Amino acid sequence: MIEISQIPVSLDEGMTEAGCLDICRQAARKLLGCGARDIAHIELHRKSVDARKKRDVHFVLSARVRLRTPAQEKAALAHVPAARASHVRPVEDAEPTFPVPLHASVLPAARPVVVGAGCAGLFCALTLAEAGLAPLLIERGEAAAARTAAIERFVRTRELDPESNIQFGLGGAGTFSDGKLNTGTKNDAHRLILETMVDAGAPRDILWDAKPHVGSDILPTVVAHIARRIEQLGGEVRFGCRMVDIERTSSGAPCAILVEQSASAPERIRADRLVLACGHSARDVFELLVRRGMAVERKTFAMGVRIEHLQADIDRAQYGPAAGHPALGAAPYKLVAHLPQGRNVFTFCMCPGGEVVAAASEPGGVVVNGASLNARAGRNANAALLVNVNPGDLPGDDPLAGIELQRRCERAAFELAGGDFRAPAQLVGDFIARRPSTSCGRIAPTYPLGVTWCALDETLPVPIVDTLRAGIPALAGKLRGFDDAEAVLTGVETRSSSPVTIVRDRSCVAVGAPGLYPCGEGAGYAGGIMSAATDGIRCARALIADLVADSA
């Protein structure tokens, strides 16, 4: 195939896939010197917004074209004008696939076990199932529909289910978020992940959108479809099933796990090959691993607050006069400021047209996160506003010190806001002026259990508060209006990433525990839906390679 990039298209022409393809087809014929009948296939590969000039906001496309014969493609590449040669290149036509079923001689005596059905665990189990290994996937939370009901019940009654909530359940923490599929790296699994999601019900535009997202209204359907696919391939998925212990041999290898499900007595399950994809909030799992002598280390993580603006203000700041054009939708942003005192402040998981959600998973603690529906049609924009916490910032040598700091901040937020899962909130103007807030302005907070207006300083360590206070004006230099005095800060955002790493080697095997594969965001090897799913596939491939090597 031939890839053609940097194809400009107006907002009106680029509103639909068909319109974009028409423009790409015209560009291909002109650049490659071919006729319409010479093009055997053309597909939209990437679509991004160029908003560098606010008076000329437009889309930039890339397309992949297959001509009828290799000889035609070779001649076409020679025809490209020198001025555009850097924007036209040959690419491999082959796309990555899941593994084919393994030969019977390779299949192990016991099926592999995957703990955690977030994106890492789901794609790990799916890859293993496609290879014919019939994995057992266990998840402490519930399936999509029951999990949705548990979250709605929490918002309605303030009765938290610590086993099924925004952190735990099918799809993991990413299911009830914006469903962003951005990634800053390239991996051969990315296209496979996107195609799998589209097959499972995600919108087709994630295949080419430069900033793809699914939305928390569609993601539950997508992850439920993937779970069903695992079962159709011979795997088993158990919900409401929590791992409470790991048994290991004298060599350190896992041999079994103990699980609790409903009111049943603990069950022992053989687990010679065990994938731990437990997620960043499975604190009991991290505590278990430390007790069992596993190699667990501190890692850098981040904490802060959620910041809300009017989405219309963000649209104008990003798109100028083009703001509101139906082809653009709600504008995103991603910001970072490097401050003189040596710390950075940055935004994460920005949710255009979204809401701040109640993401607690433990009684007595307030945690906030962000979410958007697919349409991103809400009145507010929100994003995590974070500061890194480095291992050296923590006292002592306890590998779980970061978890203790998270808990301390969550409990402080809970108590400050009234002890009923309301969240503490403060206006940006008041926060910078170091005075408590008493009410909102024109930006109403979206946190669903209500907020308590106060001063947020008591909820976070002083270095984080000071960095946020210095960072907001600095970020306003990058995005006009970011320091709007009536923007709302809601606390606390503590679960943006895992504070620990379960140490593994280059073959994805836990140090000192052959046959155990730490995986995904909770283990410290991912930071979002795409990277978690990619790591799930990576660990599954490593497990399969180990089985093949053992059978040789």
Side-chain angles (χ1 to χ4, degrees), residues 45 64 92-99 123 127 183-196 207 530-531 533-542:
H45 183 65
R64 290 192 170 181
E92 292 294 329
D93 196 8
E95 295 287 356
T97 61
F98 286 112
F123 274 89
T127 305
T183 177
T185 62
K186 291 185 177 181
N187 187 287
D188 65 355
H190 290 170
R191 180 73 180 189
L192 182 59
I193 294 165
L194 295 176
E195 289 178 347
T196 300
L207 296 176
M530 282 297 284
S531 60
T534 300
D535 199 57
I537 293 174
R538 181 184 296 116
C539 288
R541 289 173 175 172

Side-chain angles (χ1 to χ4, degrees), residues 119-131:
C119 282
L122 267 181
F123 274 89
C124 180
L126 178 61
T127 305
L128 296 174
E130 293 279 1

Side-chain angles (χ1 to χ4, degrees), residues 244-321:
V244 295
D245 207 350
I246 300 174
E247 295 180 10
R248 300 167 69 190
T249 67
S250 58
S251 68
C255 59
I257 61 172
L258 289 182
V259 301
E260 292 180 348
Q261 190 163 14
S262 301
S264 305
E267 177 186 358
R268 184 179 186 273
I269 297 173
R270 183 175 174 181
D272 302 335
R273 305 279 177 174
L274 177 63
V275 178
L276 286 183
C278 56
H280 58 44
S281 293
R283 293 165 170 173
D284 57 329
V285 174
F286 303 141
E287 292 163 359
L288 167 64
L289 297 178
V290 171
R291 289 198 308 272
R292 291 288 175 260
M294 296 282 295
V296 177
E297 295 180 351
R298 301 174 177 183
K299 65 176 276 292
T300 297
F301 63 106
M303 297 199 304
V305 295
R306 277 271 151 183
I307 185 167
E308 290 189 87
H309 300 85
L310 292 180
Q311 182 63 53
D313 291 345
I314 300 298
D315 292 346
R316 283 190 291 271
Q318 293 289 66
Y319 297 146

Side-chain angles (χ1 to χ4, degrees), residues 98-414:
F98 286 112
V100 298
L102 296 172
H103 189 272
S105 62
V106 178
L107 299 180
R111 58 186 174 177
V113 178
V114 180
V115 177
C119 282
L122 267 181
F123 274 89
C124 180
L126 178 61
T127 305
L128 296 174
E130 293 279 1
L133 289 169
L136 170 62
L137 173 61
I138 69 169
E139 167 57 47
R140 68 192 302 165
E142 298 296 339
R147 184 184 182 196
T148 299
I151 294 168
E152 291 174 349
R153 185 167 55 252
F154 174 44
V155 170
R156 187 175 64 253
T157 67
R158 303 177 191 269
E159 295 175 4
L160 175 68
D161 183 343
E163 298 299 331
S164 193
N165 44 62
I166 278 186
Q167 304 296 347
F168 301 140
L170 180 59
T175 300
F176 293 95
S177 68
D178 184 57
K180 282 173 286 295
L181 306 177
N182 299 359
T183 177
T185 62
K186 291 185 177 181
N187 187 287
D188 65 355
H190 290 170
R191 180 73 180 189
L192 182 59
I193 294 165
L194 295 176
E195 289 178 347
T196 300
M197 288 189 165
V198 170
D199 290 343
R204 271 184 51 80
D205 59 16
I206 67 172
L207 296 176
W208 59 77
D209 195 325
K211 296 181 178 179
H213 82 285
V214 179
S216 60
D217 49 338
I218 296 177
L219 268 169
T221 299
V222 172
V223 296
H225 187 284
I226 295 173
R228 285 195 299 272
R229 176 63 179 161
I230 292 168
E231 292 176 326
Q232 290 165 357
L233 290 165
E236 180 184 356
V237 183
R238 292 195 197 178
F239 297 108
C241 185
R242 183 166 65 95
M243 183 184 74
V244 295
D245 207 350
I246 300 174
E247 295 180 10
R248 300 167 69 190
T249 67
S250 58
S251 68
C255 59
I257 61 172
L258 289 182
V259 301
E260 292 180 348
Q261 190 163 14
S262 301
S264 305
E267 177 186 358
R268 184 179 186 273
I269 297 173
R270 183 175 174 181
D272 302 335
R273 305 279 177 174
L274 177 63
V275 178
L276 286 183
C278 56
H280 58 44
S281 293
R283 293 165 170 173
D284 57 329
V285 174
F286 303 141
E287 292 163 359
L288 167 64
L289 297 178
V290 171
R291 289 198 308 272
R292 291 288 175 260
M294 296 282 295
V296 177
E297 295 180 351
R298 301 174 177 183
K299 65 176 276 292
T300 297
F301 63 106
M303 297 199 304
V305 295
R306 277 271 151 183
I307 185 167
E308 290 189 87
H309 300 85
L310 292 180
Q311 182 63 53
D313 291 345
I314 300 298
D315 292 346
R316 283 190 291 271
Q318 293 289 66
Y319 297 146
H325 192 287
L328 288 171
Y333 62 78
K334 184 177 182 180
L335 306 172
V336 61
H338 307 285
L339 302 176
Q341 58 265 51
R343 291 187 184 268
N344 300 333
V345 61
F346 60 97
T347 64
F348 175 76
C349 187
M350 190 268 165
C351 298
E355 63 178 350
V356 176
V357 297
S361 62
E362 295 181 347
V366 165
V367 181
V368 296
N369 198 354
S372 296
L373 303 182
N374 180 260
R376 290 178 164 176
R379 187 168 184 262
N380 287 4
N382 75 80
L385 183 63
L386 303 175
V387 178
N388 277 337
V389 179
N390 300 312
D393 296 328
L394 302 170
D397 57 4
D398 182 358
L400 305 183
I403 291 175
E404 181 53 35
L405 177 59
Q406 289 175 324
R407 276 190 173 130
R408 200 158 61 240
C409 294
E410 293 163 14
R411 289 168 179 165
F414 183 83

